[in-house]
Amino acid sequence: GSILTTTDARGVEVESAGERRIEPVDGNTLHLSLDVNIQSYAQQLAEQAMKAKNAQSVSIIVMNPQNGEIMAMVNVPEFDLNAPFELDTESYLTQEQQQNMLNQMWRNGCINDTYEPGSTFKIITAAAGLEENIVETDTASDFYCGGHELINGITINCWKYQSTHGSQTLRESLMNSCNPAMMQL
């Protein structure tokens, strides 16, 4: 809503002019799709993964595949919403350095960061190969992982590039989440 009044050239309200009110109108109701139980579980898993993998950060998004609703969104480490300007540093920082650290701390990795959807797309690649009858699930030695594949002069590594998966079936390739096998497919 609003209150409309008359003012003089200096912005001082003219008392004798009165005022006119426009009553507020209710807006739409906000419904969150977050599920407190899924959110809590995702938070626990993110903290466990960060500790187990000694990661710098972990982000998890849980979506309803039927409609795309976000059921949970987690970023760790997270900052204390009750102390949003408190930095975890003992050293002297310039104002610019402090602002950069705050911006980095406040960013939501689930929203701000991009990633290659390779692992999430592997199931589509495998399904297409099965549907077109160019591969079977358990045919021996259909694929070979040497740690990487060269595509148009670009080396794309397997996540296990320090060692290899070797010969694998489609089923094994999916269980291993092997990038070279999916590129061969």
Side-chain angles (χ1 to χ4, degrees), residues 3-20:
I3 299 174
L4 305 173
T5 61
T6 304
T7 62
D8 63 18
R10 290 174 288 161
V12 176
E13 190 174 325
V14 178
E15 290 185 34
S16 61
E19 65 183 28
R20 191 176 75 162

Side-chain angles (χ1 to χ4, degrees), residues 14-137:
V14 178
E15 290 185 34
S16 61
E19 65 183 28
R20 191 176 75 162
R21 292 180 178 264
I22 300 174
E23 293 302 318
V25 177
D26 288 343
N28 291 329
T29 303
L30 176 65
H31 295 276
L32 295 180
S33 58
L34 294 176
D35 181 301
V36 69
N37 295 319
I38 296 172
Q39 179 73 25
S40 176
Y41 188 63
Q43 182 75 34
Q44 291 172 21
L45 290 175
E47 289 168 1
Q48 288 173 8
M50 189 165 165
K51 185 176 179 181
K53 300 295 182 181
N54 199 23
Q56 291 180 346
S57 66
V58 174
S59 297
I60 296 176
I61 300 175
V62 179
M63 293 176 67
N64 181 337
Q66 303 302 317
N67 56 22
E69 289 178 342
I70 306 294
M71 302 175 79
M73 184 182 293
V74 175
N75 291 289
V76 289
E78 60 185 354
F79 65 96
D80 184 354
L81 291 171
N82 294 314
F85 297 98
E86 195 172 295
L87 291 170
D88 186 24
T89 182
E90 299 290 322
S91 61
Y92 171 78
L93 298 172
T94 66
Q95 191 169 2
E96 183 179 348
Q97 289 172 323
Q98 183 178 3
Q99 190 60 53
N100 287 339
M101 285 185 73
L102 288 171
N103 288 340
Q104 192 65 24
M105 181 176 74
W106 295 333
R107 64 193 312 277
N108 183 336
C110 291
I111 295 171
N112 292 67
D113 296 346
T114 58
Y115 67 97
E116 296 176 5
S119 291
T120 58
F121 203 77
K122 288 175 182 161
I123 194 70
I124 297 168
T125 304
L130 290 167
E131 186 172 308
E132 295 298 319
N133 295 317
I134 59 173
V135 69
E136 293 179 11
T137 55

Side-chain angles (χ1 to χ4, degrees), residues 2 32 62 102 163 165 168 170 172:
S2 6
L32 295 180
V62 179
L102 288 171
S163 60
H165 292 118
Q168 0 175 44
L170 177 63
E172 292 166 333

